[in-house]
Amino acid sequence: MKLLAHSLVRIETDNAALVFGVTEDGKLVQLIFGSKAEECGEPSVAYPTWGDGWVYEPAFQATHSDGNTSVDLRVTDIIQAENLTRIQLGDAAYALRVDLLFRVYPKYDVIESWTEVSHDEPGEVVLQTFASSSLDFGQGEAFVTQFRGDWNDEVHMEEERLTYGLKVLDSKLAVRAHQFRAPWFLLARGGPAKEDEGEVLGGSFAWSGSFRFSFERLPQGSLRAICGINPFASAYRLSTGETFETPRMTWAYSPSGTGNLSRNLHAWTRAHVLRDGHQSRSILLNNWEATYFSFDETKIFSLLDGAKDLGIEMFLLDDGWFGTKHPRDSDNQGLGDWTPDPKKLPNGVRAVADAAATRGLRFGIWLEPEMVNPRSELFEAHPDWAIRQPGRELETQRNQLVLDLSNPDVEAYVFSLVDQVLSTDPGITYVKWDCNRYVTQPGSPYLPPDKQSHLPVLYVQALYRIFDRLAKAHPHIQIMMCSGGGGRVDLGAMRYAQEFWPSDNTDPARRVLMQWAYSQFWPPIAVSAHVTDMGHRPIDFAFAVAMSGRLGMDMDLDKLSSSERDLARKTVEAYKGIRDVVQLGTQYRLQSPFEGPRSALMSVLEDRAIVFVYSLGESPEGPLQLRGLDASRNYRVREMMKDVETIHRGSNLLEEGLPLPAYGEFGNGVFELTAV
Ligand code: DGJ
């Protein structure tokens, strides 16, 4: 393959380089992806299309308006300005264009990659496969880590070597990215991923619907990753003159292990993805695990009193507050009818918001605006607003259906319903946005027969428009992104939110592992971590675990013993003193809970640090090496819940470590370090 001498396109961050070239016949080839120090390797096809000789997994396949199923792309222009590179490709024989776009965030070693597809053909072009990103990782060994799971059991880290053939990580859930697998993965080169050494990439897809990551080791030995919207049953008929923009695939690069990768991703996510990524968060009490559907105003007021007494700053009223004809007393009715249940809340939501305000608490509310129970006034009035397929018995999950956001009337309805709830009760400053099912019968009563396969794409696009309009109309409202737990922890949805609900599994013993897994990609400020009595673990352990994220509680405070109440009060107070360090600091993972009974994390902000130690079994005494401190300074180390203080030299803490005692099961320590 001969390259045009002047054709190199370098896309660079501080440590990574993605280099393309153009062959004499105008084909785009990839020469490097990885360390900046890498020499240009063998050219490989940059964005393989079906029909120009490529016989492996393609990044792009389309049917032209005349029925031709092949695509042959040649470079027509390359535009580089500041941090954005646009490589324009055009079909050699058709008026079809595919632009490859790359945005770099140099200091975080992050590259976003996506495409724009358009055409001027005389009829529709059907996009069959339309990946956001296709990269070649060369010949070396590579290991992928996926984050798999299920409801109540999210993000198990599972690593495997990629051998010859195709490995696909995908989801076909349409309205959420994740139930069985998160839309992010690690890819380690040369050996399994390690915390502090080795070349590793993080791939994360900004889309809250069906996705597909394919890894194919070709017969020649090189490994290719193709990432984008899942093309399964999602063909998209692109009209003449229309532009289809694919979601962004984010690649983060680290030459020195996953720890560095995560720290960069945390900082980038706070700066460029999350809303208010630099503002610390309120401590909240949620009533879900305290009451489930069974509460009334008196009970809620009593929880508000409890919250105030403990120093909690916000109350979140969860599911069950609405429904008149079909009161939401269980999950089998009422969803869709967003008027307060007069039996539970005779004075409306406003009375609760006011009662919260009188106690000095912020107030938040649970909504699941995209869904409907068949037993609801909304469904009775609009049976054609639900996603369903003709001739099939309606299949519910959690007794509910998904509203058809591809229908503009439904999109407008969902926006105005949330807008109205927020405008009617100005006391609301926080929303938990839930989504408790995925799609199994992907049919739209609104879309014409030849556009049924557009539903998965149109749904997510409409959802983002709703999120966007709401964020603009109600900028002070904070959002907890929830989807029956962690189903929408993706870069697409999280652009509109401040934090996410990681899982309905709140057992702190499980959360230690989950929080470790989430931390690979997500900063502690985004992780809603609530103290509950799930698992019946010691409450101090539950607090220590929750304090390493955004602390909250989800318990019936009326049932706390007086010693538990004292501990809760003291811990909430203590968290207020350290939350800036936890939420706005730099996190180091010190000891993995997958490698032994004792695990540890720490966060550092300027001259302060917080260290969390958790023991999931019997762990012997032994030092814990710390990170991120100034070797030349002394640190006052205070074990927070015990008020014991010692002074240590930074260099000792970094090299020999902080001496720790033996811990029994669920033993824990939270240490505050201050440079003196
Ligand atoms: C699923 C969420 O994950 C829970 O926290 C709770 O809000 C329920 N939905 C309410 O139905």
Side-chain angles (χ1 to χ4, degrees):
M1 225 181 268
K2 268 193 125 181
L3 298 184
L4 293 176
H6 61 277
S7 71
L8 281 196
V9 188
R10 297 190 72 88
I11 295 166
E12 293 188 327
T13 64
D14 283 2
N15 293 290
L18 172 59
V19 181
F20 294 108
V22 183
T23 64
E24 277 183 334
D25 55 0
K27 295 294 249 186
L28 185 73
V29 288
Q30 182 194 311
L31 301 167
I32 298 179
F33 181 43
S35 159
K36 257 178 161 171
E38 232 174 77
E39 302 274 310
C40 277
E42 267 300 294
S44 62
V45 176
Y47 188 72
T49 60
W50 184 253
D52 70 346
W54 183 259
V55 289
Y56 314 109
E57 200 58 20
F60 190 81
Q61 186 200 357
T63 307
H64 295 279
S65 55
D66 65 0
N68 185 340
T69 58
S70 65
V71 172
D72 180 1
L73 297 176
R74 311 286 165 125
V75 177
T76 56
D77 204 357
I78 293 164
I79 304 161
Q80 287 197 286
E82 291 196 35
N83 291 331
L84 184 71
T85 300
R86 178 184 288 267
I87 303 177
Q88 294 182 335
L89 308 172
D91 192 292
Y94 286 81
L96 171 73
R97 291 173 297 278
V98 180
D99 287 6
L100 307 185
L101 291 110
F102 303 88
R103 182 179 291 285
V104 291
Y105 299 85
K107 68 175 177 177
Y108 306 108
D109 283 324
V110 163
I111 303 178
E112 285 178 332
S113 161
W114 72 104
T115 70
E116 283 175 14
V117 187
S118 58
H119 73 89
D120 293 315
E121 295 190 24
E124 288 172 338
V125 170
V126 186
L127 307 182
Q128 315 277 6
T129 298
F130 36 94
S132 295
S133 171
S134 160
L135 290 170
D136 186 329
F137 292 89
Q139 303 274 339
E141 276 213 315
F143 290 75
V144 69
T145 303
Q146 62 170 304
F147 298 77
R148 63 156 187 89
D150 202 340
W151 172 74
N152 212 32
D153 193 25
E154 285 84 344
V155 293
H156 290 271
M157 291 171 69
E158 204 85 43
E159 185 170 45
E160 67 193 281
R161 192 160 75 93
L162 291 165
T163 58
Y164 286 87
L166 197 56
K167 168 85 195 174
V168 173
L169 303 178
D170 77 342
S171 91
K172 302 184 180 73
L173 309 180
V175 298
R176 57 200 273 178
H178 173 26
Q179 168 129 339
F180 309 113
R181 184 167 298 106
W184 17 281
F185 60 85
L186 297 169
L187 193 67
R189 279 165 138 181
K194 296 205 179 85
E195 187 69 23
D196 290 312
E197 58 186 278
E199 216 181 2
V200 62
L201 290 125
S204 189
F205 192 43
W207 187 244
S208 311
S210 308
F211 65 88
R212 179 178 154 107
F213 305 145
S214 71
F215 305 90
E216 187 170 21
R217 195 172 286 286
L218 305 184
Q220 301 78 13
S222 66
L223 177 74
R224 173 169 297 272
I226 293 180
C227 305
I229 288 180
N230 197 334
F232 174 78
S234 295
Y236 190 91
R237 309 181 74 85
L238 190 68
S239 309
T240 312
E242 182 186 349
T243 299
F244 186 91
E245 182 177 324
T246 61
R248 292 174 191 210
M249 180 68 197
T250 297
W251 292 100
Y253 173 80
S254 165
S256 52
T258 49
N260 174 57
L261 183 92
S262 303
R263 284 186 286 282
N264 276 337
L265 273 169
H266 291 184
W268 174 77
T269 305
R270 289 208 291 119
H272 295 284
V273 181
L274 299 179
R275 289 174 62 195
D276 309 325
H278 295 289
Q279 252 173 49
S280 57
R281 313 287 195 235
S282 305
I283 303 169
L284 72 80
L285 175 70
N286 187 191
N287 69 310
W288 179 242
E289 286 187 42
T291 64
Y292 295 103
F293 294 101
S294 159
F295 58 84
D296 57 16
E297 199 184 64
T298 311
K299 180 68 196 173
I300 297 297
F301 284 8
S302 156
L303 291 175
L304 292 173
D305 287 335
K308 179 179 178 207
D309 172 50
L310 297 187
I312 286 174
E313 298 157 318
M314 176 160 66
F315 178 76
L316 166 62
L317 180 62
D318 211 286
D319 196 353
W321 59 267
F322 48 89
T324 40
K325 181 173 170 197
H326 304 287
R328 178 80 171 164
D329 292 330
S330 72
D331 62 18
N332 58 31
Q333 64 177 31
L335 195 58
D337 301 345
W338 299 99
T339 24
D341 174 352
K343 274 204 291 11
K344 285 183 191 156
L345 302 179
N347 304 298
V349 169
R350 181 175 282 234
V352 185
D354 288 349
T358 334
R359 290 159 178 82
L361 300 170
R362 292 177 54 200
F363 176 65
I365 199 157
W366 178 93
L367 294 170
E368 193 179 7
E370 303 152 72
M371 306 276 164
V372 65
N373 283 130
R375 201 180 308 156
S376 66
E377 292 184 71
L378 180 67
F379 188 74
E380 283 157 10
H382 298 286
D384 57 330
W385 276 13
I387 289 179
R388 58 199 303 178
Q389 285 173 319
R392 308 282 174 229
E393 207 170 300
L394 273 180
E395 194 184 280
T396 55
Q397 271 175 13
R398 208 194 187 208
N399 308 305
Q400 66 194 55
L401 300 168
V402 186
L403 293 177
D404 176 13
L405 292 191
S406 74
N407 179 341
D409 289 345
V410 181
E411 179 184 338
Y413 161 80
V414 169
F415 168 79
S416 62
L417 128 78
V418 181
D419 182 48
Q420 230 168 45
V421 171
L422 301 182
S423 312
T424 322
D425 290 301
I428 300 173
T429 63
Y430 184 94
V431 166
K432 178 180 185 182
W433 186 297
D434 210 342
C435 158
N436 279 294
R437 71 160 291 179
Y438 51 82
V439 169
T440 50
Q441 296 173 319
S444 158
Y446 168 79
L447 292 172
D450 67 341
K451 298 235 163 80
Q452 287 292 312
S453 58
H454 289 202
L455 179 63
V457 164
L458 295 185
Y459 187 96
V460 180
Q461 288 175 339
L463 179 69
Y464 290 166
R465 279 194 297 272
I466 295 169
F467 283 157
D468 191 51
R469 284 179 70 195
L470 287 169
K472 287 182 178 131
H474 304 277
H476 66 291
I477 301 280
Q478 293 188 323
I479 306 281
M480 179 205 277
M481 198 55 78
C482 175
S483 187
R488 276 194 180 148
V489 187
D490 61 77
L491 288 174
M494 290 306 296
R495 271 176 303 172
Y496 303 101
Q498 276 77 1
E499 51 199 46
F500 61 81
W501 184 235
S503 176
D504 280 357
N505 191 331
T506 54
D507 176 350
R510 181 72 180 91
R511 281 290 179 109
V512 168
L513 306 171
M514 274 192 204
Q515 289 175 197
W516 186 272
Y518 275 115
S519 79
Q520 305 295 316
F521 283 79
W522 299 93
I525 193 172
V527 181
S528 313
H530 293 184
V531 175
T532 72
D533 60 7
M534 196 176 283
H536 309 296
R537 313 301 180 193
I539 193 168
D540 63 312
F541 178 71
F543 264 108
V545 173
M547 285 167 88
S548 66
R550 194 279 287 129
L551 176 68
M553 290 186 78
D554 206 329
M555 289 178 94
D556 187 347
L557 303 184
D558 298 333
K559 292 193 181 141
L560 293 183
S561 67
S562 73
S563 64
E564 286 171 332
R565 202 181 303 277
D566 287 345
L567 181 120
R569 204 180 290 112
K570 194 171 163 205
T571 314
V572 165
E573 187 57 31
Y575 184 76
K576 288 179 186 166
I578 63 166
R579 79 173 128 198
D580 281 8
V581 184
V582 175
Q583 298 180 8
L584 309 177
T586 302
Q587 190 186 55
Y588 294 85
R589 290 183 296 259
L590 303 176
Q591 211 165 43
S592 165
F594 296 101
E595 285 165 13
R598 190 180 83 182
S599 64
L601 297 163
M602 79 184 277
S603 292
V604 182
L605 183 68
E606 292 155 14
D607 55 5
R608 296 174 67 207
I610 309 296
V611 178
F612 296 98
V613 182
Y614 309 122
S615 182
L616 291 177
E618 299 294 321
S619 18
E621 69 172 78
L624 174 72
Q625 276 186 315
L626 305 188
R627 302 282 308 273
L629 303 178
D630 183 340
S632 64
R633 298 186 75 176
N634 284 326
Y635 286 85
R636 192 178 58 234
V637 180
R638 188 168 70 90
E639 178 154 14
M640 292 189 70
M641 301 322 288
K642 297 197 176 137
D643 277 336
V644 183
E645 276 188 17
T646 44
I647 301 278
H648 298 259
R649 188 91 189 134
S651 54
N652 286 349
L653 294 170
L654 293 167
E655 283 151 31
E656 280 122 59
L658 177 68
L660 291 179
Y663 290 104
E665 195 181 33
F666 308 126
N668 62 86
V670 180
F671 302 87
E672 182 182 19
L673 281 70
T674 315
V676 287

